[in-house]
Amino acid sequence: MSDAVPTSPLGPVLSGARVLVTAQRRADDIVNALQRRGASVVVASSLGVESHIDEESLVAETRALVERPADVVVVTTGIGFRSWLDTAEAVGLGHELIESLQHSRVVARGPKARGALQAAGLVPDWVAESETSAEIADFLRADGVAGQRIVVQHHGAGDDGLERHLTAAGATTSSLVVYRWGPPADPEAVRRSAREAAAGGYDAVMFTSAPGAAAWLEALRAEQALGPVMGLVDAGMLRLAAVGEVTAAPLRDLGLDVLVPPRARLGALLRSLVLDLGDDEGALPTPAGMLRVRATAATLDHTPLPVSPGGLALLRCLAADPGRVRSRDELLDVLPGDSRDPHTVEVAVARLREAVGREVVRTVVKRGYRLELAGA
């Protein structure tokens, strides 16, 4: 199945939304897909990838596999398999490696690994749909691995116990370490993203790997931002989106709600996030159109409104309980600065009305202001 980004004709339904992407791989594809829907996108890769950390050993293991195919080859990641094949091709072993794998039982850890194998013309004999090494270990041990030679291409986090389980079951195992997760290329960007998330600066945060999600959570802890971010998620003001259940695990371990697509693919993740953030359920029907109040912007019928930070703060307060009258004191509390002059609210409301229309923000004499809903 294709892992292409979605191209459904939904229009700019993410206009005004601000999305944080924590991935390094395919970040450009993610950014382009979200921007086509109108979103503003920030990339702060929470981890880097250190490729070919021991290329000499990798080439030696590849030669050994070519000369003597293994009984079983476990491919744990798509990026790892592609990097392995690139390395083999660079030393003239690409074709030979593919031929060798055709003589082995090939097991894939999830759809990304399967997709990489299929792109190389290989069909895996079995796929762990849960994307866990534990499922692979259970499957292989159930079939019996005693006396078998098993080669494991590790994912970026290294050995997670799979080889230990297979060795205990009587197999002879060897490792292929193609890449490892490393520190982010721009640590300050990651720290800044943590602070901005805590301040309500994003509508959604996207994750494409469990180590990347765990690393971003560590950045939140380091910036003392974890509590505020958890509060925003619990309040429905920040959406966390992960490509699959394995990626979502570090987030769910903290009790956080995570959007996970029905299929663990990047295209499915993007489609789910677009539908989630663009859903009319989160919009308010006003006399001027469908109003959406995002983290850093507001839109009417997907058209951005020219509101200031103060105007956005007022609009968010009014939209939190549409129809309810907010007093001037309540609105003063949410405006930037420490002014207690009621005239400050009157000026801010006047400017807000210029952006959204007088019919949207109504004055209730001697009481305050309210957000008017269509048909109310």
Side-chain angles (χ1 to χ4, degrees):
M1 299 293 289
S2 171
D3 193 23
V5 296
T7 57
S8 52
L10 295 175
V13 295
L14 298 189
S15 180
R18 191 165 185 251
V19 180
L20 173 65
V21 175
T22 63
Q24 179 189 56
R25 179 177 169 267
R26 296 193 67 184
D28 289 345
D29 289 342
I30 298 172
V31 170
N32 291 336
L34 293 173
Q35 287 180 338
R36 282 198 300 271
R37 300 291 177 250
S40 170
V41 187
V42 175
V43 178
S45 303
S46 56
L47 287 176
V49 175
E50 299 176 352
S51 300
H52 311 314
I53 58 174
D54 187 353
E55 190 165 332
E56 185 176 340
S57 295
L58 178 61
V59 171
E61 290 284 351
T62 303
R63 289 190 189 281
L65 187 63
V66 166
E67 293 169 2
R68 179 172 164 248
D71 296 295
V72 179
V73 175
V74 178
V75 176
T76 64
T77 63
I79 183 176
F81 180 75
R82 282 187 289 270
S83 297
W84 179 21
L85 189 55
D86 287 345
T87 301
E89 289 176 344
V91 295
L93 292 174
H95 179 69
E96 289 82 353
L97 175 58
I98 296 297
E99 282 193 341
S100 172
L101 293 175
Q102 290 172 340
H103 294 286
S104 301
R105 187 183 190 190
V106 179
V107 172
R109 191 184 71 113
K112 292 181 182 178
R114 173 176 55 196
L117 287 163
Q118 290 173 335
L122 296 166
V123 178
D125 295 278
W126 185 77
V127 179
E129 295 296 343
S130 70
E131 299 184 75
T132 63
S133 294
E135 185 182 0
I136 293 175
D138 290 343
F139 171 76
L140 291 176
R141 287 184 300 184
D143 277 3
V145 295
Q148 292 190 1
R149 177 168 162 255
I150 301 177
V151 173
V152 181
Q153 172 261 308
H154 286 296
H155 52 78
D159 183 23
D160 55 4
L162 175 59
E163 287 189 56
R164 183 178 69 253
H165 291 305
L166 297 177
T167 300
T172 300
T173 63
S174 58
S175 303
L176 285 173
V177 182
V178 183
Y179 73 99
R180 287 195 191 280
W181 296 116
D186 189 348
E188 177 52 33
V190 180
R191 291 191 289 267
R192 184 168 57 250
S193 75
R195 296 191 295 269
E196 289 183 345
Y202 299 105
D203 294 283
V205 184
M206 289 183 65
F207 304 93
T208 60
S209 74
W216 195 69
L217 290 174
E218 284 304 311
L220 293 182
R221 293 186 180 96
E223 296 298 317
Q224 298 183 332
L226 181 59
V229 166
M230 292 179 69
L232 290 169
V233 174
D234 289 343
M237 298 174 67
L238 176 64
R239 169 60 86 183
L240 304 181
V243 73
E245 295 294 344
V246 172
T247 298
L251 305 164
R252 286 187 168 155
D253 286 346
L254 294 178
L256 293 168
D257 182 55
V258 186
L259 174 69
V260 177
R263 294 175 57 249
R265 305 298 290 270
L266 179 58
L269 171 62
L270 285 163
R271 190 173 296 107
S272 294
L273 185 61
V274 168
L275 292 173
D276 184 79
L277 290 183
D279 193 341
D280 278 348
E281 185 178 338
L284 297 173
T286 74
M290 296 298 288
L291 174 69
R292 288 175 173 80
V293 182
R294 306 285 197 184
T296 60
T299 64
L300 267 178
D301 294 333
H302 304 307
T303 299
L305 295 171
V307 295
S308 66
L312 185 63
L314 290 181
L315 196 55
R316 180 171 289 110
C317 180
L318 294 168
D321 193 354
R324 173 186 167 186
V325 178
R326 297 286 189 174
S327 69
R328 287 173 173 79
D329 284 342
E330 286 180 283
L331 296 179
L332 272 173
D333 288 340
V334 302
L335 279 173
D338 54 6
S339 173
R340 302 310 299 174
D341 184 352
H343 182 64
T344 302
V345 173
E346 294 168 5
V347 172
V349 168
R351 291 174 178 168
L352 177 60
R353 282 172 166 163
E354 290 177 4
V356 302
R358 295 189 62 84
E359 70 274 24
V360 176
V361 180
R362 293 288 189 181
T363 300
V364 180
V365 179
K366 296 184 179 180
R367 294 180 59 197
Y369 304 92
R370 72 164 184 258
L371 185 74
E372 190 80 0
L373 294 180

